[in-house]
Amino acid sequence: MTLEVKKFDTLLVANRGEIACRVMRTARAMGLRTVAVYSDADANARHVREADEAVRLGPAAARESYLNIEAVIEAARRTGAGAIHPGYGFLSENGPFVEALEKAGITFVGPPASAIAAMGDKSAAKARMSHAGVPLVPGYHGDDQDDALLKSEADKIGYPVLLKASAGGGGKGMRVVESGDGFQAALDGCRRESQAAFGDQRMLIEKYLTQPRHVEVQVFCDRHGNGVYLFERDCSVQRRHQKVLEEAPAPGMSAELRREMGEAAVRAAREIGYVGAGTVEFLLDADGSFYFMEMNTRLQVEHPVTEMITGQDLVEWQLRVAMGERLPLAQDELTITGHSFEARLYAEDPEQDFLPATGTLTRFALDLEGAGLDADKVRLDSGVESGDVVSMHYDPMLAKLIVHGDDRDQALATLNRALAALDVQGVVTNRAFLQRLATHPAFKGCELDTRFIEKHEESLFAPRELTTEAYAAAALIGLKQLSRECESDSPWDRHDGFRINAPHTIRLALCATGHDLTRAQAPDAEGVVIVEGTRETDADPWQLVIGDETLTARLQHLEGDAVAVTLDGHRRRLQARLGENGVVVMADPSGETRLFWRRIDAIDHGQHEAESTLTAPMHGTVVALLVKPGQKVEKGMPLMVMEAMKMEHTMVAPADGHVESFHFAAGDTVSQGDVLLEFAAEE
């Protein structure tokens, strides 16, 4: 069935968070009424507050709300929405959804279902691209999904290989396999992720290039046969195949290579009868060769950098094409001006293997004026505001910080100043990690490839040199927390080191990485700072021993996360807050450090507990139990898999031994800190 193209005056945005707010911004500027949809978890979310109307879809689970096709279409009918913009993720590349909209007489702001189907099956897409003369990476894209055959094909291609979900995208169901020994475990994990994210377990295998760059081309096509490319973006800096920093144009691109890649991208789009905004992703090898990876049949997360260098609003282009209009500009009318970067701000903890973080944003602000930044050069696309709650149910991205400069160096300097001016409190984020990336000498020198973070892991995660005041603030917050937990009317009920006729003394170990605290008392424990706190009564100041310094210390809480630390009468102000696993300290504008603390005096039972239990590192859902109670396991062996914010996390054995019992089953929801299992270490 072909849908008759027609104008519309009301747009429903079938998404949430940052992209929903961004689409509605352009829609309002075009004079359109906007409709938001939401789950129970998002009833008070920013995109709901900003829309003209909002309709509840269902419970928090995406499959019962944002992925519920019938509920989304009914919301459009109830509000008179003539068109639906899917954003990215959720239903944005769902062919049956597009077909359902066609039957309902509602315009889909995106490509036809046939184009989505052509690129949604990555194996079939490779064949179409080969027919269109688009270069391909060597690999296996067949229908036979037998485990032994897939392993055999991987062996033929040669390791390392990349396993990818055939129906996937966004890094879901994708893993690098370094050798044949790890193939089956990686295949099982990819299939689980792919099934959960896309309802499809089919895999394809590609040769994994060791030093490629990820360069993608923005294409646009209308219903009148016109197609253009709006140049390229470099997205090489990635973590777990998810982009972290993007820039446009790609550094080091010659005019000839830009034209070749652009024309190949347009050929790819025309091959499948594409309409609207799409992105053709390539791997660019060091010798200048490039290979087709996939096509995302939607608006990309990183589209703002293209908007910055071209001066075009890509969402406006989408809406106009959906109304049947021709592309606003021809290829020879498009030009590149300056350079742009985008940094993705996530609610996650880089110091804990990027575990997703949840909580309430006590403050979320970007002070451009205070940082001396030009509002025309800095853009913050956000789906949250101060006071909003970050839940476990959806992707952890909070916002995108986009900057523009006359050249790459100027844009990079603006990015660093803007990151420093971004004030996020209440939830752990990757802001400081983004600063370390953006100031890294290799990144500044354009030494880019898709393993950038892996190659520079040691320097990117090097412990920050903290001041005595920072350690004192973290220790005082920890001591205060311990004292609060141990409050009692009777000294006999206290378990905080209280002794009759003796000073109250507690010893803490502080470290920037939690796992190092298990060896806190070892003489060679690197990066661990021991702090001893003593005071006569609760009203007295603490006497802190930090290294070889003994200091009289007081801590005063100011507004927000600001604190004042007074050491021997010298008062200093800094940012510090108690988190679920430690203290986050910001002693200077350049970044923050998460300090984990553990009590190491005589009454500490933490090590025994760590050996006998395993706790959930974040809120999430149990996906699979990988061993049986009583089964003997070795240290580091996977025990169970959790999923949070669309990513899997594997819990491993802390030592040789066996699991005595699991407290949760597959499908159960757990909270951060819940005891997942009882573990018995081998004696």
Side-chain angles (χ1 to χ4, degrees):
M1 177 179 178
T2 302
L3 178 68
E4 180 184 352
V5 178
K6 56 185 177 182
K7 301 289 185 178
F8 47 86
D9 57 16
T10 301
L11 177 72
L12 184 146
V13 183
N15 217 296
R16 64 178 300 280
E18 168 271 324
I19 186 59
C21 295
R22 187 266 171 274
V23 170
M24 288 191 291
R25 184 171 66 245
T26 289
R28 287 193 299 270
M30 294 176 66
L32 301 175
R33 291 178 63 256
T34 58
V35 178
V37 289
Y38 64 91
S39 70
D40 290 343
D42 281 341
N44 297 310
R46 181 177 177 180
H47 75 282
V48 175
R49 299 193 297 266
E50 291 189 355
D52 294 313
E53 293 184 60
V55 179
R56 175 186 178 274
L57 294 177
R63 64 181 177 276
E64 300 179 57
S65 52
Y66 295 105
L67 292 174
N68 187 332
I69 292 175
E70 292 182 2
V72 171
I73 292 177
E74 178 58 28
R77 288 196 182 105
R78 288 175 58 186
T79 56
I84 292 180
H85 193 301
Y88 47 73
F90 292 135
L91 296 171
S92 62
E93 295 177 284
N94 187 303
F97 175 58
V98 180
E99 292 172 351
L101 290 184
E102 291 177 353
K103 292 178 181 178
I106 299 171
T107 299
F108 178 68
V109 183
S114 58
I116 293 175
M119 285 300 181
D121 185 327
K122 290 181 171 48
S123 297
K126 300 285 185 180
R128 296 287 295 269
M129 294 304 98
S130 178
H131 179 265
V134 181
L136 300 177
V137 178
Y140 174 75
H141 315 119
D143 293 330
D144 192 335
Q145 294 289 300
D146 178 73
D147 287 14
L149 175 70
L150 293 178
K151 172 67 164 53
S152 174
E153 291 295 333
D155 292 342
K156 290 178 186 177
I157 295 167
Y159 297 94
V161 298
L162 183 65
L163 272 173
K164 297 173 65 175
S166 184
K172 309 299 186 302
M174 182 185 300
R175 299 187 187 186
V176 177
V177 186
E178 298 289 351
S179 68
D181 293 341
F183 184 84
Q184 189 62 48
L187 177 62
D188 292 342
C190 283
R191 280 177 168 162
R192 282 194 303 270
E193 286 186 3
S194 181
Q195 181 65 39
F198 315 111
D200 190 326
Q201 292 190 0
R202 290 173 303 148
M203 292 286 128
L204 59 83
I205 309 171
E206 292 180 347
K207 177 65 179 174
Y208 188 68
L209 304 179
T210 56
Q211 287 187 307
R213 289 168 59 187
H214 181 138
V215 177
E216 60 188 30
V217 177
Q218 176 71 61
V219 296
F220 235 105
C221 300
D222 61 24
R223 299 175 185 272
H224 306 279
N226 302 307
V228 299
Y229 61 91
L230 288 87
F231 313 111
E232 79 288 342
R233 303 182 284 256
D234 193 302
C235 309
S236 299
V237 180
Q238 303 178 7
R239 175 189 57 77
R240 296 173 184 160
H241 308 290
Q242 296 244 8
K243 301 159 190 173
V244 180
L245 285 177
E246 300 104 348
E247 59 182 300
M253 290 283 288
S254 66
E256 181 181 3
L257 181 57
R258 174 171 291 125
R259 178 183 57 77
E260 289 179 0
M261 292 183 74
E263 291 178 352
V266 173
R267 287 200 306 274
R270 283 182 166 148
E271 170 69 20
I272 60 171
Y274 200 78
V275 174
T279 299
V280 182
E281 300 191 344
F282 296 101
L283 287 175
L284 177 61
D285 215 348
D287 63 0
S289 302
F290 62 91
Y291 305 97
F292 173 84
M293 281 201 306
E294 62 184 7
M295 181 177 184
N296 289 298
T297 54
R298 53 172 167 79
L299 193 68
Q300 288 281 82
V301 178
E302 58 273 18
H303 75 274
V305 292
T306 296
E307 294 182 324
M308 284 289 205
I309 65 166
T310 61
Q312 304 301 312
D313 184 330
L314 298 190
V315 174
E316 181 178 347
W317 278 43
Q318 283 188 296
L319 295 174
R320 294 197 179 283
V321 167
M323 291 179 180
E325 297 182 17
R326 295 178 180 274
L327 293 179
L329 297 174
Q331 189 66 60
D332 59 4
E333 296 176 297
L334 290 164
T335 57
I336 296 175
T337 301
H339 203 94
S340 179
F341 286 97
E342 175 182 285
R344 301 190 188 189
L345 183 73
Y346 285 97
E348 63 184 11
D349 190 349
E351 306 300 338
Q352 291 296 290
D353 197 27
F354 295 93
L355 286 177
T358 57
T360 300
L361 288 164
T362 55
R363 181 167 172 77
F364 187 86
L366 177 60
D367 183 7
L368 294 178
E369 185 177 353
L373 294 168
D374 186 345
D376 292 334
K377 299 292 185 180
V378 181
R379 165 177 161 185
L380 183 65
D381 284 10
S382 167
V384 296
E385 295 176 322
S386 298
D388 284 350
V389 175
V390 181
S391 77
M392 60 170 273
H393 299 289
Y394 311 113
D395 188 277
M397 191 174 73
L398 301 177
K400 303 179 306 195
L401 183 63
I402 309 105
V403 302
H404 184 267
D406 292 340
D407 54 33
R408 190 176 190 270
D409 289 343
Q410 187 183 96
L412 192 54
T414 300
L415 176 64
N416 285 311
R417 289 169 62 195
L419 282 168
L422 186 59
D423 187 3
V424 185
Q425 300 177 21
V427 175
V428 177
T429 73
N430 66 332
R431 188 190 65 83
F433 178 70
L434 291 171
Q435 288 183 281
R436 294 196 294 273
L437 279 173
T439 56
H440 196 281
F443 185 78
K444 294 171 70 175
C446 299
E447 299 172 21
L448 305 174
D449 66 64
T450 55
R451 289 189 172 185
F452 183 91
I453 293 176
E454 179 184 342
K455 288 170 60 176
H456 300 287
E457 182 175 6
E458 184 175 345
S459 56
L460 287 170
F461 291 94
R464 289 174 54 80
E465 293 294 329
L466 294 181
T467 62
T468 300
E469 290 75 27
Y471 282 115
L476 290 169
I477 289 175
L479 291 168
K480 181 177 180 180
Q481 179 70 8
L482 279 174
S483 298
R484 181 180 300 155
E485 293 172 354
C486 300
E487 287 177 355
S488 172
D489 293 335
S490 169
W492 311 112
D493 294 332
R494 297 176 67 149
H495 302 281
D496 60 346
F498 174 83
R499 297 291 184 271
I500 296 177
N501 299 322
H504 180 186
T505 301
I506 297 177
R507 296 183 75 233
L508 295 177
L510 297 170
C511 185
T513 54
H515 65 271
D516 287 346
L517 288 179
T518 59
R519 302 183 63 254
Q521 291 172 291
D524 61 341
E526 296 183 2
V528 178
V529 173
I530 307 299
V531 179
E532 184 174 283
T534 304
R535 64 178 177 182
E536 296 287 342
T537 70
D538 291 350
D540 293 324
W542 286 94
Q543 299 297 314
L544 296 184
V545 179
I546 304 176
D548 57 0
E549 292 186 87
T550 301
L551 305 158
T552 300
R554 288 186 182 275
L555 180 75
Q556 179 186 3
H557 287 274
L558 306 174
E559 73 283 353
D561 291 339
V563 298
V565 178
T566 303
L567 301 178
D568 288 346
H570 191 168
R571 185 177 185 273
R572 294 178 176 85
R573 177 189 174 105
L574 65 154
Q575 300 282 334
R577 69 176 184 275
L578 182 68
E580 291 181 323
N581 293 317
V583 178
V584 179
V585 180
M586 188 185 299
D588 59 74
S590 65
E592 63 186 24
T593 297
R594 187 176 181 83
L595 285 174
F596 296 85
W597 58 270
R598 175 178 169 186
R599 190 167 184 181
I600 59 170
D601 50 31
I603 67 167
D604 174 44
H605 302 290
Q607 188 166 351
H608 170 73
E609 292 169 357
E611 291 175 351
S612 62
T613 63
L614 208 64
T615 58
M618 73 285 184
H619 303 293
T621 303
V622 175
V623 175
L625 306 182
L626 305 179
V627 300
K628 296 180 179 179
Q631 178 181 336
K632 187 176 180 180
V633 299
E634 297 179 352
K635 182 179 180 180
M637 183 174 174
L639 303 179
M640 63 188 301
V641 180
M642 286 184 60
E643 185 271 338
M645 295 180 172
K646 301 183 180 180
M647 297 299 291
E648 282 194 356
H649 304 272
T650 302
M651 316 300 293
V652 301
D656 293 348
H658 68 273
V659 175
E660 293 189 325
S661 62
F662 287 101
H663 293 293
F664 297 92
D668 288 349
T669 299
V670 299
S671 299
Q672 186 174 35
D674 282 352
V675 177
L676 300 173
L677 56 87
E678 301 298 330
F679 185 85
E682 191 176 81
E683 297 182 359

